[in-house]
Each structure stands twice: as C-alpha cells, then as structure tokens.
Amino acid sequence: MSIVRRSSVFDPFADLWADPFDTFRSIIPAISGGNSETAAFANARMDWKETPEAHVFKADLPGVKKEEVKVEVEDGNVLVVSGERTKEKEDKNDKWHRVERSSGKFVRRFRLPEDAKVEEVKAGLENGVLTVTVPKAQVKKPEVKAIQISG
C-alpha cells in the first residue's frame, strides 16, 4: 500500500482538509459505512484542482445516470454533490457467483473559497465521470500610482 499526497509542499494548511480516517477506510471497509457491499461507493472519492480560471471537481461515478446525481450550493459557499447508485434487481432464477460492484448513497461537501462564482457553477456527466466547474472571480490587482518626491 502506498500513500500519495497531492498537496503542495508550500501549503502548510493542505492537510487540514485531509480525512484522518482515510487510511483506515481502505484497510477496513466496514468503518466507512458498516455494510461492506456499499462501503466503497458510499464515500465517493473526488478530486479538486484549481486552475487560474476555475475550481474543478471530478468524481468517477460509473453506472450512475445524471438523474441520480444532485449538485447544489448550500449556505452560499458549500458545494454539495450527492446521489445514489441503485442495486441491480434480483430475479429469483438468477444465481449470483460474485457481487463486487458497489451501490448505495453518497454525499460530499466542499467549502468553496471566497473567489468562487457560485452563481455560475456548471456540471456534466460524461462516460461515468462527473465534472463540476466553479469559475473564479477576477481578483483586482491593486492600482499602484507612483508619487514623485520633491526636493
């Protein structure tokens, strides 16, 4: 098992957002939801990257229809991604040999930074990958005016 951190070495606060139980969830699936059948999907993993223009969130949601996913902004600056992958219907005549695909509900919340334009959030689901784009507001650079020194 290897642990990969995607945080910047120069960001002393990067680990404040890290889940302290993240390592344990990969070792013991029961911690993340009690039911090992739904544990893997119940805590959907998401990537968050920041570009000069936007904050981009991505989640792998194979087999989930766009009607089963909700993207919302709560309290003005909290991005909420939630949804559910339903179990396949069982037929009495079917004999299951292995069930490895997970199902269940998931919800993820992210507090957006002040520069996020929450009124312009866009989301798309293509080939099982949900992409949520939150544009960033242009930060005005302070205007510098040179003052001549007399004397």
Side-chain angles (χ1 to χ4, degrees), residues 8-9 18-20 28 34 37 42 59 67 115 123 127 138-139 141:
S8 169
V9 176
D19 184 355
I28 307 169
E37 186 176 320
E67 296 81 21
D115 66 350
N127 296 326
Q138 293 289 342
V139 178
K141 294 182 181 177

Side-chain angles (χ1 to χ4, degrees), residues 17-114:
W17 295 103
D19 184 355
F21 302 104
D22 191 42
T23 304
F24 296 110
R25 284 194 180 94
S26 63
I27 299 169
I28 307 169
I31 289 175
S32 62
N35 183 352
S36 62
E37 186 176 320
T38 62
F41 194 68
N43 292 313
R45 305 285 185 186
M46 292 189 68
D47 294 338
W48 176 1
K49 74 174 178 179
E50 182 176 354
T51 68
E53 299 82 28
H55 296 275
V56 181
F57 298 83
K58 288 193 177 200
D60 291 335
L61 303 175
V64 178
K65 300 178 189 105
K66 72 176 186 175
E67 296 81 21
E68 298 172 324
V69 179
K70 281 183 14 180
V71 177
E72 302 169 310
V73 176
E74 290 179 345
D75 300 327
N77 70 336
V78 178
L79 178 69
V80 181
V81 179
S82 61
E84 180 175 11
R85 180 187 296 147
T86 54
K87 255 186 175 178
E88 191 171 322
K89 296 195 192 252
E90 295 183 24
D91 190 324
K92 292 180 182 180
N93 299 325
D94 293 341
K95 180 180 176 184
W96 291 85
H97 292 278
R98 182 171 298 273
V99 177
E100 293 183 344
R101 295 183 301 145
S102 55
S103 61
K105 294 181 180 183
F106 68 92
V107 63
R108 295 298 310 270
R109 287 181 168 80
F110 299 92
R111 185 172 311 279
L112 297 169
E114 291 181 19

